[in-house]
Amino acid sequence: MKKGKVYLVGAGPGDPKLITVKGLECIQQADVIAYDRLVNKELLQHAKQGAELIFCGKLPGKHALIQEQINQLLVEKAEQGLIVTRLKGGDPCVFGRVGEEAEQLAQAHIPFEIVPGITAGIAAPAYAGIPVTHRDHAATFAIVTAHGRAEKGQDFINWQALAQGMDTIAFYMGVGNLGHICQELIKHGKSASTPVAIIEWGTTNNQRTITGDLVSIEQKAQDYNISNPAIVLVGEVVGQREKIRWFDQDPHISTIMKTE
Ligand code: SAH
């Protein structure tokens, strides 16, 4: 039997219109759509009638399907000759485990494509009025996960390189580790007054943004009860928000929570 094909697709950061044309076509043409928790469910409306929709959601710490089962599922469905779209939040190659899934497919000789998406670490700041690079403020930009490692005593981050070499840093899955992040950056040479923004549910109607600096942000995050999904963005570019804030100021976006 003819083998199917798997599309490993980035669904974008939340706003359902922030998916690529190619990504949308993959949804429309799929026989099977395997989607993650952070994928905007509105996108599933584009699925063809009769398509099988499989939730592979991961709540932090919990897994609806464990990764090996997902890998196996993709292989099995494609071997049945089906078109499978594996839909992931943001960009599939940014903390999306696409490497593991693609490796399994390659091993099983199943054709696949990777369809990039817009990653939250760039898009959420953009919707908060913060460009991650700026001619006057930031020539370097890093994407970092600090997830879970500090508590386990396994901090693999080169804090000195980050603190001293990166103008803008986007931390994914960083809210739980906020205190550690701020302490390490200051300890390794970032100024305590470096601006920080946290953007929760970026690009969605629930977007909330708080700003502060490396000293004040932790308390503020607690005061506003900020939780994941959120991007912790560190750097002078955060100051641009005062000038070019737009999305959460638009009177037509009525459900926005205007935190600041
Ligand atoms: N592949 C995704 C990232 C997956 S890791 C991407 O490229 O965006 C999950 C983390 O991404 C969350 O814990 C959060 O830090 C971030 N994230 C995803 N969607 C987000 C959103 N709408 N707003 C803010 N952060 C988001």
Side-chain angles (χ1 to χ4, degrees), residues 121 125 132 138 140-145 157-172 181 185 190 194-197 214 231-238:
V132 293
T140 51
F141 168 55
I143 283 177
V144 178
T145 174
I157 293 174
N158 183 340
W159 288 103
Q160 186 170 337
L162 265 190
Q164 295 176 18
M166 285 294 147
D167 298 320
T168 306
I169 311 168
F171 290 95
Y172 289 61
I181 290 170
L185 288 177
K190 270 252 185 270
T194 308
V196 184
L214 284 175
I231 292 293
V232 178
L233 195 81
V234 178
E236 296 297 332
V237 286
V238 168

PDB file of all heavy atoms in Angstrom, residues 121 125 132 138 140-145 157-172 181 185 190 194-197 214 231-238:
ATOM      1  N   GLY A 121       8.071  33.353  21.425  1.00  0.00           N
ATOM      2  CA  GLY A 121       9.098  34.246  21.967  1.00  0.00           C
ATOM      3  C   GLY A 121       9.315  35.497  21.143  1.00  0.00           C
ATOM      4  O   GLY A 121       9.891  36.473  21.631  1.00  0.00           O
ATOM      5  N   PRO A 125       5.959  39.075  22.399  1.00  0.00           N
ATOM      6  CA  PRO A 125       6.500  40.424  22.565  1.00  0.00           C
ATOM      7  C   PRO A 125       5.980  41.397  21.497  1.00  0.00           C
ATOM      8  O   PRO A 125       5.637  42.545  21.817  1.00  0.00           O
ATOM      9  CB  PRO A 125       8.016  40.223  22.438  1.00  0.00           C
ATOM     10  CG  PRO A 125       8.239  38.807  22.858  1.00  0.00           C
ATOM     11  CD  PRO A 125       7.022  38.059  22.385  1.00  0.00           C
ATOM     12  N   VAL A 132      11.939  42.225  19.353  1.00  0.00           N
ATOM     13  CA  VAL A 132      13.036  41.558  20.083  1.00  0.00           C
ATOM     14  C   VAL A 132      14.421  42.068  19.680  1.00  0.00           C
ATOM     15  O   VAL A 132      15.372  41.922  20.439  1.00  0.00           O
ATOM     16  CB  VAL A 132      12.960  40.006  19.976  1.00  0.00           C
ATOM     17  CG1 VAL A 132      11.732  39.486  20.715  1.00  0.00           C
ATOM     18  CG2 VAL A 132      13.006  39.535  18.550  1.00  0.00           C
ATOM     19  N   ALA A 138      19.268  46.392  20.700  1.00  0.00           N
ATOM     20  CA  ALA A 138      19.517  44.953  20.777  1.00  0.00           C
ATOM     21  C   ALA A 138      19.948  44.390  19.432  1.00  0.00           C
ATOM     22  O   ALA A 138      19.196  44.420  18.454  1.00  0.00           O
ATOM     23  CB  ALA A 138      18.265  44.218  21.250  1.00  0.00           C
ATOM     24  N   THR A 140      21.522  41.216  19.542  1.00  0.00           N
ATOM     25  CA  THR A 140      21.548  39.766  19.746  1.00  0.00           C
ATOM     26  C   THR A 140      20.296  39.346  20.508  1.00  0.00           C
ATOM     27  O   THR A 140      19.768  40.099  21.334  1.00  0.00           O
ATOM     28  CB  THR A 140      22.781  39.343  20.571  1.00  0.00           C
ATOM     29  OG1 THR A 140      22.836  40.150  21.750  1.00  0.00           O
ATOM     30  CG2 THR A 140      24.061  39.495  19.775  1.00  0.00           C
ATOM     31  N   PHE A 141      19.841  38.137  20.230  1.00  0.00           N
ATOM     32  CA  PHE A 141      18.574  37.654  20.795  1.00  0.00           C
ATOM     33  C   PHE A 141      18.715  36.159  21.041  1.00  0.00           C
ATOM     34  O   PHE A 141      19.129  35.414  20.157  1.00  0.00           O
ATOM     35  CB  PHE A 141      17.454  37.938  19.785  1.00  0.00           C
ATOM     36  CG  PHE A 141      16.147  37.264  20.071  1.00  0.00           C
ATOM     37  CD1 PHE A 141      15.524  37.424  21.301  1.00  0.00           C
ATOM     38  CD2 PHE A 141      15.524  36.483  19.103  1.00  0.00           C
ATOM     39  CE1 PHE A 141      14.306  36.809  21.564  1.00  0.00           C
ATOM     40  CE2 PHE A 141      14.309  35.876  19.349  1.00  0.00           C
ATOM     41  CZ  PHE A 141      13.700  36.035  20.589  1.00  0.00           C
ATOM     42  N   ALA A 142      18.383  35.731  22.236  1.00  0.00           N
ATOM     43  CA  ALA A 142      18.494  34.300  22.568  1.00  0.00           C
ATOM     44  C   ALA A 142      17.137  33.735  22.971  1.00  0.00           C
ATOM     45  O   ALA A 142      16.327  34.423  23.602  1.00  0.00           O
ATOM     46  CB  ALA A 142      19.481  34.101  23.711  1.00  0.00           C
ATOM     47  N   ILE A 143      16.915  32.487  22.603  1.00  0.00           N
ATOM     48  CA  ILE A 143      15.717  31.743  22.984  1.00  0.00           C
ATOM     49  C   ILE A 143      16.170  30.656  23.956  1.00  0.00           C
ATOM     50  O   ILE A 143      17.054  29.869  23.630  1.00  0.00           O
ATOM     51  CB  ILE A 143      15.062  31.158  21.720  1.00  0.00           C
ATOM     52  CG1 ILE A 143      14.319  32.258  20.971  1.00  0.00           C
ATOM     53  CG2 ILE A 143      14.163  29.985  22.055  1.00  0.00           C
ATOM     54  CD1 ILE A 143      13.700  31.805  19.668  1.00  0.00           C
ATOM     55  N   VAL A 144      15.590  30.656  25.144  1.00  0.00           N
ATOM     56  CA  VAL A 144      16.121  29.809  26.225  1.00  0.00           C
ATOM     57  C   VAL A 144      14.982  29.101  26.947  1.00  0.00           C
ATOM     58  O   VAL A 144      13.926  29.693  27.164  1.00  0.00           O
ATOM     59  CB  VAL A 144      16.874  30.696  27.259  1.00  0.00           C
ATOM     60  CG1 VAL A 144      17.407  29.859  28.418  1.00  0.00           C
ATOM     61  CG2 VAL A 144      18.007  31.474  26.600  1.00  0.00           C
ATOM     62  N   THR A 145      15.174  27.854  27.319  1.00  0.00           N
ATOM     63  CA  THR A 145      14.256  27.230  28.264  1.00  0.00           C
ATOM     64  C   THR A 145      14.974  27.025  29.593  1.00  0.00           C
ATOM     65  O   THR A 145      16.101  26.544  29.628  1.00  0.00           O
ATOM     66  CB  THR A 145      13.703  25.882  27.777  1.00  0.00           C
ATOM     67  OG1 THR A 145      12.944  25.307  28.849  1.00  0.00           O
ATOM     68  CG2 THR A 145      14.781  24.905  27.357  1.00  0.00           C
ATOM     69  N   ILE A 157      22.374  25.925  31.850  1.00  0.00           N
ATOM     70  CA  ILE A 157      22.478  27.200  31.140  1.00  0.00           C
ATOM     71  C   ILE A 157      23.797  27.886  31.460  1.00  0.00           C
ATOM     72  O   ILE A 157      24.221  27.932  32.610  1.00  0.00           O
ATOM     73  CB  ILE A 157      21.291  28.111  31.524  1.00  0.00           C
ATOM     74  CG1 ILE A 157      20.000  27.491  30.992  1.00  0.00           C
ATOM     75  CG2 ILE A 157      21.485  29.520  30.999  1.00  0.00           C
ATOM     76  CD1 ILE A 157      18.752  28.210  31.423  1.00  0.00           C
ATOM     77  N   ASN A 158      24.434  28.388  30.415  1.00  0.00           N
ATOM     78  CA  ASN A 158      25.651  29.176  30.604  1.00  0.00           C
ATOM     79  C   ASN A 158      25.217  30.615  30.899  1.00  0.00           C
ATOM     80  O   ASN A 158      25.089  31.444  30.009  1.00  0.00           O
ATOM     81  CB  ASN A 158      26.516  29.094  29.339  1.00  0.00           C
ATOM     82  CG  ASN A 158      27.817  29.833  29.496  1.00  0.00           C
ATOM     83  OD1 ASN A 158      27.962  30.695  30.356  1.00  0.00           O
ATOM     84  ND2 ASN A 158      28.786  29.507  28.651  1.00  0.00           N
ATOM     85  N   TRP A 159      24.988  30.880  32.197  1.00  0.00           N
ATOM     86  CA  TRP A 159      24.418  32.170  32.589  1.00  0.00           C
ATOM     87  C   TRP A 159      25.361  33.327  32.271  1.00  0.00           C
ATOM     88  O   TRP A 159      24.909  34.421  31.933  1.00  0.00           O
ATOM     89  CB  TRP A 159      24.066  32.160  34.082  1.00  0.00           C
ATOM     90  CG  TRP A 159      22.873  31.305  34.366  1.00  0.00           C
ATOM     91  CD1 TRP A 159      22.868  30.050  34.907  1.00  0.00           C
ATOM     92  CD2 TRP A 159      21.496  31.622  34.087  1.00  0.00           C
ATOM     93  NE1 TRP A 159      21.572  29.572  34.988  1.00  0.00           N
ATOM     94  CE2 TRP A 159      20.724  30.523  34.491  1.00  0.00           C
ATOM     95  CE3 TRP A 159      20.860  32.728  33.529  1.00  0.00           C
ATOM     96  CZ2 TRP A 159      19.335  30.479  34.364  1.00  0.00           C
ATOM     97  CZ3 TRP A 159      19.474  32.700  33.398  1.00  0.00           C
ATOM     98  CH2 TRP A 159      18.727  31.586  33.810  1.00  0.00           C
ATOM     99  N   GLN A 160      26.640  33.067  32.389  1.00  0.00           N
ATOM    100  CA  GLN A 160      27.577  34.156  32.117  1.00  0.00           C
ATOM    101  C   GLN A 160      27.498  34.597  30.650  1.00  0.00           C
ATOM    102  O   GLN A 160      27.445  35.781  30.345  1.00  0.00           O
ATOM    103  CB  GLN A 160      28.990  33.699  32.461  1.00  0.00           C
ATOM    104  CG  GLN A 160      29.980  34.833  32.329  1.00  0.00           C
ATOM    105  CD  GLN A 160      31.336  34.470  32.901  1.00  0.00           C
ATOM    106  OE1 GLN A 160      31.465  33.580  33.741  1.00  0.00           O
ATOM    107  NE2 GLN A 160      32.357  35.152  32.446  1.00  0.00           N
ATOM    108  N   ALA A 161      27.447  33.603  29.768  1.00  0.00           N
ATOM    109  CA  ALA A 161      27.362  33.927  28.342  1.00  0.00           C
ATOM    110  C   ALA A 161      26.056  34.662  28.047  1.00  0.00           C
ATOM    111  O   ALA A 161      26.029  35.630  27.275  1.00  0.00           O
ATOM    112  CB  ALA A 161      27.448  32.651  27.505  1.00  0.00           C
ATOM    113  N   LEU A 162      24.983  34.213  28.673  1.00  0.00           N
ATOM    114  CA  LEU A 162      23.686  34.852  28.444  1.00  0.00           C
ATOM    115  C   LEU A 162      23.687  36.282  28.975  1.00  0.00           C
ATOM    116  O   LEU A 162      23.281  37.219  28.280  1.00  0.00           O
ATOM    117  CB  LEU A 162      22.584  34.080  29.186  1.00  0.00           C
ATOM    118  CG  LEU A 162      21.786  33.024  28.457  1.00  0.00           C
ATOM    119  CD1 LEU A 162      20.620  32.610  29.343  1.00  0.00           C
ATOM    120  CD2 LEU A 162      21.286  33.502  27.109  1.00  0.00           C
ATOM    121  N   ALA A 163      24.117  36.407  30.234  1.00  0.00           N
ATOM    122  CA  ALA A 163      24.037  37.712  30.898  1.00  0.00           C
ATOM    123  C   ALA A 163      24.936  38.733  30.201  1.00  0.00           C
ATOM    124  O   ALA A 163      24.574  39.897  30.081  1.00  0.00           O
ATOM    125  CB  ALA A 163      24.431  37.579  32.367  1.00  0.00           C
ATOM    126  N   GLN A 164      26.084  38.261  29.735  1.00  0.00           N
ATOM    127  CA  GLN A 164      27.044  39.228  29.191  1.00  0.00           C
ATOM    128  C   GLN A 164      27.014  39.329  27.666  1.00  0.00           C
ATOM    129  O   GLN A 164      27.449  40.324  27.110  1.00  0.00           O
ATOM    130  CB  GLN A 164      28.455  38.863  29.673  1.00  0.00           C
ATOM    131  CG  GLN A 164      28.540  39.013  31.187  1.00  0.00           C
ATOM    132  CD  GLN A 164      29.889  38.579  31.769  1.00  0.00           C
ATOM    133  OE1 GLN A 164      30.879  38.474  31.059  1.00  0.00           O
ATOM    134  NE2 GLN A 164      29.913  38.334  33.066  1.00  0.00           N
ATOM    135  N   GLY A 165      26.467  38.314  27.011  1.00  0.00           N
ATOM    136  CA  GLY A 165      26.544  38.315  25.553  1.00  0.00           C
ATOM    137  C   GLY A 165      25.243  38.549  24.820  1.00  0.00           C
ATOM    138  O   GLY A 165      25.237  38.763  23.607  1.00  0.00           O
ATOM    139  N   MET A 166      24.128  38.502  25.543  1.00  0.00           N
ATOM    140  CA  MET A 166      22.834  38.607  24.858  1.00  0.00           C
ATOM    141  C   MET A 166      22.093  39.876  25.273  1.00  0.00           C
ATOM    142  O   MET A 166      21.893  40.122  26.455  1.00  0.00           O
ATOM    143  CB  MET A 166      21.953  37.395  25.214  1.00  0.00           C
ATOM    144  CG  MET A 166      22.383  36.150  24.505  1.00  0.00           C
ATOM    145  SD  MET A 166      22.132  36.326  22.720  1.00  0.00           S
ATOM    146  CE  MET A 166      23.504  35.358  22.142  1.00  0.00           C
ATOM    147  N   ASP A 167      21.678  40.637  24.286  1.00  0.00           N
ATOM    148  CA  ASP A 167      20.926  41.871  24.585  1.00  0.00           C
ATOM    149  C   ASP A 167      19.490  41.549  24.984  1.00  0.00           C
ATOM    150  O   ASP A 167      18.948  42.109  25.928  1.00  0.00           O
ATOM    151  CB  ASP A 167      20.922  42.783  23.357  1.00  0.00           C
ATOM    152  CG  ASP A 167      22.329  43.213  22.972  1.00  0.00           C
ATOM    153  OD1 ASP A 167      23.126  43.497  23.894  1.00  0.00           O
ATOM    154  OD2 ASP A 167      22.643  43.249  21.767  1.00  0.00           O
ATOM    155  N   THR A 168      18.848  40.663  24.223  1.00  0.00           N
ATOM    156  CA  THR A 168      17.458  40.289  24.508  1.00  0.00           C
ATOM    157  C   THR A 168      17.414  38.779  24.748  1.00  0.00           C
ATOM    158  O   THR A 168      18.017  38.016  23.996  1.00  0.00           O
ATOM    159  CB  THR A 168      16.528  40.617  23.316  1.00  0.00           C
ATOM    160  OG1 THR A 168      16.688  41.993  22.959  1.00  0.00           O
ATOM    161  CG2 THR A 168      15.070  40.336  23.660  1.00  0.00           C
ATOM    162  N   ILE A 169      16.710  38.378  25.793  1.00  0.00           N
ATOM    163  CA  ILE A 169      16.579  36.935  26.077  1.00  0.00           C
ATOM    164  C   ILE A 169      15.100  36.611  26.279  1.00  0.00           C
ATOM    165  O   ILE A 169      14.419  37.250  27.088  1.00  0.00           O
ATOM    166  CB  ILE A 169      17.344  36.528  27.359  1.00  0.00           C
ATOM    167  CG1 ILE A 169      18.777  37.085  27.338  1.00  0.00           C
ATOM    168  CG2 ILE A 169      17.362  35.006  27.506  1.00  0.00           C
ATOM    169  CD1 ILE A 169      19.485  36.959  28.686  1.00  0.00           C
ATOM    170  N   ALA A 170      14.613  35.629  25.521  1.00  0.00           N
ATOM    171  CA  ALA A 170      13.236  35.145  25.714  1.00  0.00           C
ATOM    172  C   ALA A 170      13.311  33.801  26.426  1.00  0.00           C
ATOM    173  O   ALA A 170      13.874  32.844  25.894  1.00  0.00           O
ATOM    174  CB  ALA A 170      12.531  34.991  24.367  1.00  0.00           C
ATOM    175  N   PHE A 171      12.751  33.759  27.631  1.00  0.00           N
ATOM    176  CA  PHE A 171      12.678  32.496  28.372  1.00  0.00           C
ATOM    177  C   PHE A 171      11.309  31.865  28.145  1.00  0.00           C
ATOM    178  O   PHE A 171      10.282  32.486  28.425  1.00  0.00           O
ATOM    179  CB  PHE A 171      12.888  32.727  29.871  1.00  0.00           C
ATOM    180  CG  PHE A 171      14.291  33.118  30.231  1.00  0.00           C
ATOM    181  CD1 PHE A 171      14.635  34.456  30.368  1.00  0.00           C
ATOM    182  CD2 PHE A 171      15.271  32.152  30.423  1.00  0.00           C
ATOM    183  CE1 PHE A 171      15.934  34.828  30.699  1.00  0.00           C
ATOM    184  CE2 PHE A 171      16.580  32.514  30.748  1.00  0.00           C
ATOM    185  CZ  PHE A 171      16.907  33.853  30.890  1.00  0.00           C
ATOM    186  N   TYR A 172      11.313  30.643  27.657  1.00  0.00           N
ATOM    187  CA  TYR A 172      10.082  29.859  27.517  1.00  0.00           C
ATOM    188  C   TYR A 172       9.931  29.026  28.793  1.00  0.00           C
ATOM    189  O   TYR A 172      10.921  28.588  29.379  1.00  0.00           O
ATOM    190  CB  TYR A 172      10.171  28.910  26.321  1.00  0.00           C
ATOM    191  CG  TYR A 172      10.125  29.577  24.963  1.00  0.00           C
ATOM    192  CD1 TYR A 172      11.080  30.493  24.575  1.00  0.00           C
ATOM    193  CD2 TYR A 172       9.115  29.270  24.052  1.00  0.00           C
ATOM    194  CE1 TYR A 172      11.046  31.096  23.324  1.00  0.00           C
ATOM    195  CE2 TYR A 172       9.066  29.862  22.796  1.00  0.00           C
ATOM    196  CZ  TYR A 172      10.044  30.772  22.440  1.00  0.00           C
ATOM    197  OH  TYR A 172       9.997  31.353  21.199  1.00  0.00           O
ATOM    198  N   ILE A 181      15.944  32.747  37.481  1.00  0.00           N
ATOM    199  CA  ILE A 181      16.392  33.429  36.255  1.00  0.00           C
ATOM    200  C   ILE A 181      16.940  34.818  36.592  1.00  0.00           C
ATOM    201  O   ILE A 181      18.049  35.184  36.181  1.00  0.00           O
ATOM    202  CB  ILE A 181      15.215  33.551  35.246  1.00  0.00           C
ATOM    203  CG1 ILE A 181      14.847  32.175  34.677  1.00  0.00           C
ATOM    204  CG2 ILE A 181      15.543  34.533  34.124  1.00  0.00           C
ATOM    205  CD1 ILE A 181      13.544  32.159  33.873  1.00  0.00           C
ATOM    206  N   LEU A 185      20.960  36.019  36.323  1.00  0.00           N
ATOM    207  CA  LEU A 185      21.349  37.071  35.369  1.00  0.00           C
ATOM    208  C   LEU A 185      22.078  38.203  36.092  1.00  0.00           C
ATOM    209  O   LEU A 185      23.089  38.708  35.610  1.00  0.00           O
ATOM    210  CB  LEU A 185      20.117  37.602  34.619  1.00  0.00           C
ATOM    211  CG  LEU A 185      19.526  36.647  33.573  1.00  0.00           C
ATOM    212  CD1 LEU A 185      18.272  37.248  32.950  1.00  0.00           C
ATOM    213  CD2 LEU A 185      20.538  36.313  32.470  1.00  0.00           C
ATOM    214  N   LYS A 190      24.287  41.023  34.516  1.00  0.00           N
ATOM    215  CA  LYS A 190      23.251  41.916  33.959  1.00  0.00           C
ATOM    216  C   LYS A 190      22.884  42.947  35.020  1.00  0.00           C
ATOM    217  O   LYS A 190      22.765  42.614  36.208  1.00  0.00           O
ATOM    218  CB  LYS A 190      21.977  41.128  33.600  1.00  0.00           C
ATOM    219  CG  LYS A 190      21.970  40.598  32.184  1.00  0.00           C
ATOM    220  CD  LYS A 190      20.986  41.356  31.291  1.00  0.00           C
ATOM    221  CE  LYS A 190      20.914  40.734  29.914  1.00  0.00           C
ATOM    222  NZ  LYS A 190      21.874  41.291  28.932  1.00  0.00           N
ATOM    223  N   THR A 194      17.794  46.084  34.496  1.00  0.00           N
ATOM    224  CA  THR A 194      17.422  45.640  33.144  1.00  0.00           C
ATOM    225  C   THR A 194      15.913  45.392  33.083  1.00  0.00           C
ATOM    226  O   THR A 194      15.365  44.671  33.918  1.00  0.00           O
ATOM    227  CB  THR A 194      18.153  44.335  32.770  1.00  0.00           C
ATOM    228  OG1 THR A 194      19.553  44.507  32.987  1.00  0.00           O
ATOM    229  CG2 THR A 194      17.890  43.941  31.327  1.00  0.00           C
ATOM    230  N   PRO A 195      15.235  45.997  32.107  1.00  0.00           N
ATOM    231  CA  PRO A 195      13.786  45.807  32.023  1.00  0.00           C
ATOM    232  C   PRO A 195      13.392  44.365  31.683  1.00  0.00           C
ATOM    233  O   PRO A 195      14.101  43.670  30.958  1.00  0.00           O
ATOM    234  CB  PRO A 195      13.364  46.742  30.878  1.00  0.00           C
ATOM    235  CG  PRO A 195      14.514  47.645  30.642  1.00  0.00           C
ATOM    236  CD  PRO A 195      15.739  46.923  31.092  1.00  0.00           C
ATOM    237  N   VAL A 196      12.266  43.949  32.238  1.00  0.00           N
ATOM    238  CA  VAL A 196      11.716  42.612  31.983  1.00  0.00           C
ATOM    239  C   VAL A 196      10.222  42.745  31.709  1.00  0.00           C
ATOM    240  O   VAL A 196       9.531  43.507  32.392  1.00  0.00           O
ATOM    241  CB  VAL A 196      11.877  41.685  33.223  1.00  0.00           C
ATOM    242  CG1 VAL A 196      11.380  40.271  32.909  1.00  0.00           C
ATOM    243  CG2 VAL A 196      13.316  41.643  33.708  1.00  0.00           C
ATOM    244  N   ALA A 197       9.743  42.016  30.713  1.00  0.00           N
ATOM    245  CA  ALA A 197       8.293  41.918  30.489  1.00  0.00           C
ATOM    246  C   ALA A 197       7.899  40.451  30.581  1.00  0.00           C
ATOM    247  O   ALA A 197       8.684  39.569  30.216  1.00  0.00           O
ATOM    248  CB  ALA A 197       7.917  42.470  29.115  1.00  0.00           C
ATOM    249  N   LEU A 214      14.751  43.331  36.728  1.00  0.00           N
ATOM    250  CA  LEU A 214      15.200  42.027  37.235  1.00  0.00           C
ATOM    251  C   LEU A 214      14.964  41.880  38.742  1.00  0.00           C
ATOM    252  O   LEU A 214      14.933  40.773  39.258  1.00  0.00           O
ATOM    253  CB  LEU A 214      16.685  41.812  36.906  1.00  0.00           C
ATOM    254  CG  LEU A 214      17.007  41.437  35.456  1.00  0.00           C
ATOM    255  CD1 LEU A 214      18.514  41.383  35.233  1.00  0.00           C
ATOM    256  CD2 LEU A 214      16.369  40.095  35.062  1.00  0.00           C
ATOM    257  N   ILE A 231       5.862  34.206  28.173  1.00  0.00           N
ATOM    258  CA  ILE A 231       7.245  34.466  27.787  1.00  0.00           C
ATOM    259  C   ILE A 231       7.825  35.488  28.757  1.00  0.00           C
ATOM    260  O   ILE A 231       7.196  36.523  29.010  1.00  0.00           O
ATOM    261  CB  ILE A 231       7.310  35.034  26.344  1.00  0.00           C
ATOM    262  CG1 ILE A 231       6.903  33.979  25.312  1.00  0.00           C
ATOM    263  CG2 ILE A 231       8.698  35.592  26.031  1.00  0.00           C
ATOM    264  CD1 ILE A 231       7.848  32.809  25.164  1.00  0.00           C
ATOM    265  N   VAL A 232       8.977  35.162  29.303  1.00  0.00           N
ATOM    266  CA  VAL A 232       9.710  36.122  30.130  1.00  0.00           C
ATOM    267  C   VAL A 232      10.752  36.756  29.214  1.00  0.00           C
ATOM    268  O   VAL A 232      11.645  36.075  28.730  1.00  0.00           O
ATOM    269  CB  VAL A 232      10.396  35.425  31.319  1.00  0.00           C
ATOM    270  CG1 VAL A 232      11.195  36.437  32.131  1.00  0.00           C
ATOM    271  CG2 VAL A 232       9.367  34.711  32.198  1.00  0.00           C
ATOM    272  N   LEU A 233      10.598  38.045  28.952  1.00  0.00           N
ATOM    273  CA  LEU A 233      11.495  38.715  28.016  1.00  0.00           C
ATOM    274  C   LEU A 233      12.355  39.728  28.759  1.00  0.00           C
ATOM    275  O   LEU A 233      11.834  40.632  29.409  1.00  0.00           O
ATOM    276  CB  LEU A 233      10.690  39.414  26.917  1.00  0.00           C
ATOM    277  CG  LEU A 233      11.550  39.809  25.724  1.00  0.00           C
ATOM    278  CD1 LEU A 233      11.757  38.606  24.804  1.00  0.00           C
ATOM    279  CD2 LEU A 233      10.949  40.965  24.953  1.00  0.00           C
ATOM    280  N   VAL A 234      13.665  39.543  28.639  1.00  0.00           N
ATOM    281  CA  VAL A 234      14.615  40.381  29.372  1.00  0.00           C
ATOM    282  C   VAL A 234      15.392  41.226  28.368  1.00  0.00           C
ATOM    283  O   VAL A 234      15.921  40.695  27.392  1.00  0.00           O
ATOM    284  CB  VAL A 234      15.600  39.492  30.176  1.00  0.00           C
ATOM    285  CG1 VAL A 234      16.631  40.345  30.896  1.00  0.00           C
ATOM    286  CG2 VAL A 234      14.842  38.613  31.168  1.00  0.00           C
ATOM    287  N   GLY A 235      15.474  42.524  28.606  1.00  0.00           N
ATOM    288  CA  GLY A 235      16.323  43.361  27.750  1.00  0.00           C
ATOM    289  C   GLY A 235      15.781  44.770  27.595  1.00  0.00           C
ATOM    290  O   GLY A 235      14.606  45.039  27.855  1.00  0.00           O
ATOM    291  N   GLU A 236      16.663  45.663  27.132  1.00  0.00           N
ATOM    292  CA  GLU A 236      16.285  47.073  26.987  1.00  0.00           C
ATOM    293  C   GLU A 236      15.134  47.287  26.015  1.00  0.00           C
ATOM    294  O   GLU A 236      14.399  48.266  26.112  1.00  0.00           O
ATOM    295  CB  GLU A 236      17.505  47.903  26.536  1.00  0.00           C
ATOM    296  CG  GLU A 236      18.652  47.939  27.544  1.00  0.00           C
ATOM    297  CD  GLU A 236      18.272  48.597  28.871  1.00  0.00           C
ATOM    298  OE1 GLU A 236      17.375  49.459  28.877  1.00  0.00           O
ATOM    299  OE2 GLU A 236      18.860  48.215  29.901  1.00  0.00           O
ATOM    300  N   VAL A 237      14.950  46.346  25.073  1.00  0.00           N
ATOM    301  CA  VAL A 237      13.855  46.505  24.098  1.00  0.00           C
ATOM    302  C   VAL A 237      12.486  46.598  24.774  1.00  0.00           C
ATOM    303  O   VAL A 237      11.549  47.148  24.199  1.00  0.00           O
ATOM    304  CB  VAL A 237      13.813  45.349  23.071  1.00  0.00           C
ATOM    305  CG1 VAL A 237      14.953  45.473  22.065  1.00  0.00           C
ATOM    306  CG2 VAL A 237      13.814  43.989  23.759  1.00  0.00           C
ATOM    307  N   VAL A 238      12.379  46.068  25.997  1.00  0.00           N
ATOM    308  CA  VAL A 238      11.095  46.097  26.710  1.00  0.00           C
ATOM    309  C   VAL A 238      10.589  47.546  26.827  1.00  0.00           C
ATOM    310  O   VAL A 238       9.382  47.803  26.790  1.00  0.00           O
ATOM    311  CB  VAL A 238      11.228  45.438  28.108  1.00  0.00           C
ATOM    312  CG1 VAL A 238      10.010  45.711  28.976  1.00  0.00           C
ATOM    313  CG2 VAL A 238      11.447  43.927  27.947  1.00  0.00           C
TER     314      VAL A 238
END
